[in-house]
Amino acid sequence: MSTRLGELVERLGGRLIGDADIQVVGIAPLNDADASHITFLSNPKFRGQAAQTHAAALILSAADDEIVAADYQGARIVTANPYAYFARAAQYFASLHAHVAPVGIHPSAAVDPSAQVAASASIGPFVTVEAGAVIEAGCVVDAGCFIGRDTHLGANTHFYPRVSFLAGCRIGARGIIHSGAVIGADGFGFANEGGAWIKIPQTGAVRIGDDVEIGANTSIDRGALADTVLEDGVKLDNQIQIGHNCHIGAHTAMAGCVGVAGSAIIGKYCTFGGAAMVLGHLTIADHVHISSGSMVSRSIREPGQYTGFYPLAKNAEWEKSAVIVRNLATMREKIRELEKTIKSLDDKTE
């Protein structure tokens, strides 16, 4: 299914330079695009590729347009944020080919009579919906999901296959939870007595705001007493662990394999690179950006970019460096003593 370029710009905005009647079928990368595609330039280092692309139209900034326009022969869509424009265009093209889930409850689904399922919701094969659950209009719950008792799914949420959404948890409107995610498992709470571990009941839940996306096989633990909270617009990648009683501020995003220990408080508009770790009971301010693989071992009170990992090296070199780092305190004391000795000798020679 194709779309007229002018219609796309009417929907999404931007300034079109070129033929509005060109028909396009989707978006492709700079090197792969042909005359049926649009493409985008968001990184100036790819200007050379953009000038040579065979795409029907190129999404780019005004600054890049001034440089690329002389060499590129196709239509151009000039916008302040080409990458965001690309994302919205991709959403539009995806919607043209999206599978529409059938409305209603599949015959194989097990839905408790006390659950409230909107007439426009879609409940797939072998889904379990327990007592007291509320599933609002437009929700899609794919095959094999488990929806626990007294849960609440906001309008137009989409649960992919085999999501477990356990007792008492809530998610707002337009949420997306990918396959294998577990929301509301017990937090890791134990008290030690005489070498034996005594389980602490996890009686809180998980509260998730609007427009939140949670990746495949990600786990978000319920609170021990109060709830674990994800505010509006949070985006979590695959295989992330969020410990009990964490609070994650609005529009914070985390890449794959991030781990956040219990009771951490993370601000709004933060980002975490892949495999970053956050220790428990820490507070992180708004607009903090943690590099991939970093370990956050103390609270961060000021916004900015933070990095905490040792550069990769051959193992033998790393072991030598580790010995040096371990002995830095001793070396510092020796240097101070040496400085005192040198000063004393200088004083005697004066």
Side-chain angles (χ1 to χ4, degrees):
M1 184 182 298
S2 64
T3 297
R4 194 173 66 88
L5 193 60
E7 180 185 349
L8 185 68
V9 174
E10 289 170 6
R11 285 176 173 272
L12 303 180
R15 178 166 60 93
L16 175 61
I17 303 171
D19 185 358
D21 291 326
I22 295 173
Q23 296 288 324
V24 290
V25 299
I27 296 183
L30 289 167
N31 289 338
D32 298 333
D34 60 30
S36 66
H37 296 112
I38 62 174
T39 190
F40 69 100
L41 172 64
S42 61
N43 189 328
K45 72 179 183 180
F46 296 119
R47 284 170 177 165
Q49 293 182 29
Q52 302 301 317
T53 184
H54 299 292
L58 175 63
I59 304 165
L60 75 177
S61 67
D64 285 332
D65 186 56
E66 292 180 2
I67 298 170
V68 173
D71 297 315
Y72 174 65
Q73 302 303 312
R76 307 186 307 278
I77 300 173
V78 181
T79 181
N81 189 336
Y83 198 63
Y85 198 103
F86 148 70
R88 292 191 177 94
Q91 288 179 351
Y92 170 70
F93 284 113
S95 71
L96 298 179
H97 305 284
H99 167 71
V100 178
V103 171
I105 300 172
H106 192 274
S108 66
V111 178
D112 188 274
S114 69
Q116 301 176 43
V117 180
S120 61
S122 173
I123 308 299
F126 304 107
V127 168
T128 297
V129 181
E130 290 195 326
V134 176
I135 300 176
E136 293 190 10
C139 288
V140 176
V141 182
D142 283 342
C145 289
F146 178 88
I147 310 300
R149 67 184 185 278
D150 300 323
T151 51
H152 192 123
L153 281 62
N156 299 307
T157 58
H158 187 172
F159 284 14
Y160 282 83
R162 299 180 304 282
V163 167
S164 295
F165 196 70
L166 303 179
C169 295
R170 304 175 63 87
I171 186 169
R174 300 173 300 280
I176 299 173
I177 303 184
H178 290 276
S179 296
V182 178
I183 313 301
D186 278 1
F188 193 66
F190 299 90
N192 191 282
E193 183 178 56
W197 295 104
I198 303 170
K199 183 176 177 63
I200 300 170
Q202 306 291 291
T203 58
V206 178
R207 288 189 288 117
I208 302 171
D210 296 338
D211 301 299
V212 172
E213 183 159 355
I214 297 169
N217 296 318
T218 284
S219 297
I220 303 174
D221 291 344
R222 64 176 59 249
L225 297 174
D227 294 342
T228 300
V229 176
L230 277 65
E231 295 184 358
D232 293 348
V234 168
K235 309 298 182 186
L236 302 184
D237 197 1
N238 302 334
Q239 297 180 337
I240 286 173
Q241 162 66 26
I242 305 296
H244 59 182
N245 296 109
C246 287
H247 190 119
I248 300 178
H251 306 291
T252 283
M254 297 180 177
C257 298
V258 166
V260 183
S263 299
I265 300 173
I266 296 173
K268 298 177 172 64
Y269 302 101
C270 296
T271 60
F272 292 77
M277 296 287 143
V278 180
L279 298 187
H281 300 274
L282 301 183
T283 298
I284 297 176
D286 297 345
H287 297 283
V288 167
H289 307 289
I290 306 298
S291 299
S292 298
S294 294
M295 168 68 80
V296 181
S297 58
R298 59 179 176 82
S299 292
I300 299 174
R301 306 294 183 182
E302 297 180 1
Q305 179 82 36
Y306 292 81
T307 302
F309 56 85
Y310 202 80
L312 187 71
K314 290 184 177 179
N315 187 69
E317 296 174 2
W318 185 89
E319 287 180 344
K320 291 177 183 177
S321 298
V323 171
I324 293 171
V325 170
R326 190 165 60 242
N327 291 303
L328 280 177
T330 302
M331 292 171 63
R332 181 179 63 179
E333 294 303 318
K334 289 182 178 179
I335 290 171
R336 286 176 175 173
E337 291 299 323
L338 184 59
E339 288 174 340
K340 290 178 182 178
T341 301
I342 293 171
K343 185 177 185 305
S344 177
L345 292 172
D346 288 342
D347 291 343
K348 288 179 181 179
T349 58
E350 288 180 356

